[in-house]
Amino acid sequence: MRAKFLKLAVGLLCIGFASAVPNVLAKKKDKPATNTPAEQRRAVHALNRLTFGPRPGDVQQVMAMGVDRWIDEQLHPEKISDDAMDVRLAPLRTLHMSTREIVEEFPDPQILRMVMDGKKPMPSDPARRAIYQVQVARLQERLQKKQQQEKDEDKQTATVAKAEGPSAADSAKTAEELTAAANDDNSMAAMNADAAKPPEPPAKPTPEEKAEARQREDSLYADLKIQSLVDLPAEERYRKILAMPADEQIMFADSMRGGRGQEFVADMNPKQKETLLAMNNPQGVVVEELAQAKLLRAIYSERQLEEVMTDFWFNHFNIFVGKGQERLLLTNYEQDVIRPHALGKFEDLLVATAKSPAMLFFLDNWLSVGPNSMQAQGIPARPMYGPYGRPRRFPPNQNARNKKNSGLNENYGRELLELHTLSVNGGYSQRDVTEVAKVFTGWTIEKPFDGMTYRFDPRKHEPGPKFVLGKRIKPNGEGEGREVLHMLASSPQTAHFISFKLAQRFVSDDPPAELVDRMAKTFEKKKGDIREVLSTLFQSPEFWADTSYRAKVKTPLEFVASAVRATGADVTDALPLARQLSNMGMPLYGAQPPTGYSMKAETWVSSSALLNRMNFALALTAGKVRGVKVDVAQLSDSSPPDSSATLTTLEAKLLAAEVSKQTHDSIMQQTQSAEKVPSKPPNASTMAGLLIGSPEFQRR
């Protein structure tokens, strides 16, 4: 049965993506809301572009308010109450922590190594101590394995060298003896005699085999131990785990792997839950809570345009979660760097990202050292005085410090010009990249393995003037970077590039040049005011044109969020949704290149990708996505007695009745063939799943 549905799905999707659903939108500005098909289409279009998709009742509410008034409200999120969102996010404690607090609560390998080496004390707090004990023990185990592996390799090398040690004469003699033995008539008899000997006793287990056996026993013991705790009240269960000896805590943490931990801690309070999950993977807790927050905001926030723009700018100034300490820096980056500037001035956003420890770490600018800087020349931080109180002079590179980190790094300079501002065709040269890299030497991280905040280090900064895009930048320390950022933020090339990307997100993959030009003029005139540029976009005839309606294919994030919103689902655990995005090729914060994820349809449209979407849609409406509850009966009104009426109701609620005849007939045919008994009630969940997986829903 499921195979038939999937076959239908692929057919629907392939046909549907061949052409957009034709609809005409006529913009009627500042007129009273009317309940006409044209006004409804305008509301649907606005919701599809400015939000992560309409929820049940949203179209009617936007029409009642007036589309233009609703858009203006979304452009000013500070005027929109979002208290319910705050309640949903309250259990995710890491969202409310500073970077320093996150580092202390959820240590990374660098901090753990410092504790292991005695350079930092083991925490006294029982909860934090449990996390550190387990992670330090694991780190020690990995180091011991690595050392043992190196010893084994050295031993093997020595054995091979010894085997290859005999002289050529000895080797020749050995070869002659083997040849003679092979031709000896008594060889077979000798072999038979050997076969008749009693078998040798079994070999003793190796240390590795003994360790594996102990590990299996420990695992079994841990399983039994944990099983005895499952039925205890949450508070007592938590207290007993913190009271365990260190070796038992390690076994407990090992047993929490593979997703088993979520069930064990489900009834605990946020602090308890975080502690026990962090015993297994401290940095994973931080990333998972941030991923949950992103999905919950996309699904439930009333400030939808702010969420769309936060996602847009994070993607524009992309950071990859898989690069070491980024896991601990992402929360601050998204919440305190990107979000506050999502609808503000572009230059403010540009400066905030340039100073962000996350960006400094991701593009390695924190390691960049000017070739002629004080640090590169080995000049001490404090002057050393010689005879008569005169400062001592040192020849170049004498007493140089941090030699392994010395050197100019051009990563940030290149991405700043190519991806963040001017674009790849922005008219800059390789020399400009090098000069910009020199400008930003000294922009680094204070206590990179502890507090992790921005600071300017004059000892790393390249002295002397620089020349960027034909302009001379006077020596001014940190001020040089601010001057270059202002110059780039004010550039007409930047205005055009940012306008193009915004139009690509909100209008089409290949936006009209005339629209981009008008947006760029607003960008320059309003000094990079993002809200004003978006206003120009939303008031344009190109935005409301019939060719723009449902012309954009949803990214996996947009698809999953819109599906949950459309069904009015109740999400109690967003992690399974995050895993669905990974299955669809868009893990949250998982874009490795600085370019981020593509917004274009060609990246996301393929038979396998669309099949994954249909699988998700059917699982969602069938109630098979853990942590997400959908009331399909409420969607279908549960009253229509036949399949046709049920499908019509679902089409109206999920897609504002904008479903092609082909899609409607295909779903009806498949549903009726599945209902072998005529009197059997229609399968509303399957219909809803097929509609969410349809070509019409895939577009926004």
Side-chain angles (χ1 to χ4, degrees), residues 338-360:
I338 301 294
R339 183 177 300 279
H341 303 291
L343 290 166
K345 291 289 186 73
F346 177 76
E347 183 173 345
D348 294 340
L349 175 59
L350 189 64
V351 172
T353 57
K355 287 187 171 184
S356 168
M359 184 64 72
L360 291 166

Side-chain angles (χ1 to χ4, degrees), residues 65-109:
M65 178 184 290
V67 175
D68 300 306
R69 181 183 169 192
W70 177 82
I71 290 176
D72 184 68
E73 184 181 70
Q74 286 294 317
L75 283 166
H76 297 84
E78 68 280 0
K79 299 179 180 179
I80 303 174
S81 174
D82 213 11
D83 294 341
M85 190 72 255
D86 295 337
V87 173
R88 286 186 178 272
L89 297 179
L92 306 176
R93 295 176 62 252
T94 59
L95 301 183
H96 316 293
M97 294 180 180
S98 67
T99 300
R100 178 182 291 276
E101 290 172 326
I102 290 176
V103 171
E104 291 175 350
E105 294 273 354
F106 307 95
D108 71 345

Side-chain angles (χ1 to χ4, degrees), residues 3-72:
K4 292 182 179 179
F5 285 143
L6 296 182
K7 184 177 180 181
L8 166 67
V10 174
L12 282 172
L13 294 170
C14 292
I15 294 171
F17 275 102
S19 61
V21 180
N23 285 288
V24 179
L25 288 173
K27 186 171 184 291
K28 301 178 180 179
K29 187 177 179 181
D30 296 328
K31 289 187 178 181
T34 56
N35 193 20
T36 65
E39 189 66 14
Q40 177 173 302
R41 291 191 188 101
R42 291 189 73 231
V44 171
H45 183 61
L47 284 161
N48 272 327
R49 295 303 171 90
L50 276 70
T51 78
F52 281 96
R55 300 165 299 184
D58 274 359
V59 174
Q60 292 72 23
Q61 289 180 11
V62 171
M63 291 174 64
M65 178 184 290
V67 175
D68 300 306
R69 181 183 169 192
W70 177 82
I71 290 176
D72 184 68

Side-chain angles (χ1 to χ4, degrees), residues 47 78 126 128 170 188 227 263 320 336 340 357 378 381 385 404 423 460 483 531 610 616 631 643 693 699:
L47 284 161
E78 68 280 0
R128 194 179 297 178
D170 292 336
M188 186 62 69
Q227 193 62 38
E263 298 177 4
F320 174 49
D336 302 327
Y385 295 93
K404 64 179 181 179
S423 85
K460 291 184 176 182
E483 183 179 350
R531 184 182 286 106
L610 298 176
F616 167 74
D631 188 350
S643 297
R699 293 180 177 274

Side-chain angles (χ1 to χ4, degrees), residues 100-161:
R100 178 182 291 276
E101 290 172 326
I102 290 176
V103 171
E104 291 175 350
E105 294 273 354
F106 307 95
D108 71 345
Q110 296 287 347
I111 297 293
L112 295 170
R113 183 179 286 272
M114 293 171 71
V115 173
M116 185 180 70
D117 295 340
K119 296 178 180 178
K120 284 181 73 73
M122 181 72 75
S124 58
D125 174 71
R128 194 179 297 178
R129 186 180 185 86
I131 297 170
Y132 276 72
Q133 280 184 161
V134 172
Q135 296 305 314
V136 168
R138 285 181 175 175
L139 180 59
Q140 290 173 331
E141 183 182 3
R142 287 195 294 270
L143 291 175
Q144 290 171 357
K145 285 184 177 179
K146 184 179 179 181
Q147 292 171 356
Q148 185 61 46
Q149 184 179 359
E150 291 173 351
K151 288 181 181 179
D152 293 342
E153 290 175 354
D154 292 343
K155 186 177 180 180
Q156 185 177 2
T157 302
T159 303
V160 171

